[in-house]
């Protein structure tokens, strides 16, 4: 499913479940990790986590969409759109949206890229070593143990 299909799906759900059209932008955001979707107060756009679609299917994502549409419609009507508001809770129950997002299984989450250490700062006085992933100016820092001068070395990368 692409962004255009998601846009049409959200517009259809909005019309069928709320009786009000969705007039803003909807898109997938694969960078979302801890949430199924989000609603933006300033732009009124909605983003959906595509990993939820892969892990939990269309039914669960439809509940997430209804949840975000509750925020959307209540906010535009200047009513209680926050999770704690009784109006939000009542509308969410009425349309059958999910209160909480199903957690993603660990197999679906992409692996984090581990950067190797590329630099080493070494104290000239006591020999303490500090490994770093990014280059830094040793003149701006001192050893944390003895306050001695630091020397920068480039580590061998394989």
């Amino acid at each position: 499913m692409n962004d255009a299909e998601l846009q049409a799906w959200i517009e259809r759900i909005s019309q069928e479940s709320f009786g009000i059209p969705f007039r803003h932008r909807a898109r997938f955001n694969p960078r979302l990790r801890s949430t199924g979707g989000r609603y933006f107060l300033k732009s009124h756009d909605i983003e959906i986590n595509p990993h939820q679609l892969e892990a939990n299917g269309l039914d669960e994502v439809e509940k997430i969409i209804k949840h975000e549409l509750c925020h959307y419609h209540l906010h535009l009507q200047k009513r209680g759109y926050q999770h704690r508001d009784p109006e939000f809770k009542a509308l969410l129950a009425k349309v059958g949206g999910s209160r909480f997002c199903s957690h993603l299984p660990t197999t679906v989450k992409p692996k984090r890229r581990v950067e190797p250490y590329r630099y080493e700062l070494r104290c000239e006085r006591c020999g303490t070593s500090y490994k770093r992933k990014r280059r830094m100016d040793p003149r701006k820092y001192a050893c944390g143990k003895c306050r001695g001068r630091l020397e920068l070395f480039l580590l061998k990368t394989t």
Side-chain angles (χ1 to χ4, degrees), residues 27-57:
R27 62 187 166 274
F28 283 113
N29 183 351
R31 293 183 312 274
L32 294 177
R33 293 281 171 255
S34 61
T35 184
R38 66 181 170 183
Y39 164 65
F40 293 92
L41 295 173
K42 289 183 180 177
S43 66
H44 308 295
D45 293 346
I46 291 177
E47 289 185 344
I48 300 295
N49 184 343
H51 304 298
Q52 286 289 339
L53 187 62
E54 296 165 14
N56 300 315

Side-chain angles (χ1 to χ4, degrees), residues 1 15 46 54 84 134 140 151 156-157:
M1 180 177 282
Q15 198 62 52
I46 291 177
E54 296 165 14
R84 66 175 180 250
R134 294 183 180 197
K140 295 181 179 180
E151 203 173 1
K156 293 178 184 165
T157 54

Side-chain angles (χ1 to χ4, degrees), residues 61-139:
V61 174
E62 185 168 331
K63 291 177 184 176
I64 293 168
I65 290 169
K66 288 179 179 178
H67 177 106
E68 301 308 325
L69 284 171
C70 285
H71 288 301
Y72 173 80
H73 291 302
L74 289 170
H75 180 250
L76 290 178
Q77 295 169 9
K78 296 182 178 19
R79 293 167 55 204
Y81 62 89
Q82 295 180 339
H83 291 127
R84 66 175 180 250
D85 294 323
E87 290 176 314
F88 177 82
K89 291 176 184 176
L91 183 60
L92 191 62
K94 180 183 169 193
V95 298
S98 62
R99 182 89 169 100
F100 301 103
C101 184
S102 299
H103 290 287
L104 294 170
T106 54
T107 55
V108 174
K109 290 184 181 178
K111 294 177 184 171
R112 290 182 74 170
R113 192 177 81 206
V114 179
E115 290 285 328
Y117 291 114
R118 296 177 60 204
Y119 300 98
E120 179 183 10
L121 293 163
R122 204 174 305 141
C123 178
E124 293 177 350
R125 193 184 302 170
C126 69
T128 302
S129 172
Y130 303 95
K131 294 190 186 303
R132 294 290 178 259
K133 295 178 182 180
R134 294 183 180 197
R135 184 182 179 96
M136 52 191 291
D137 186 1
R139 294 174 295 178

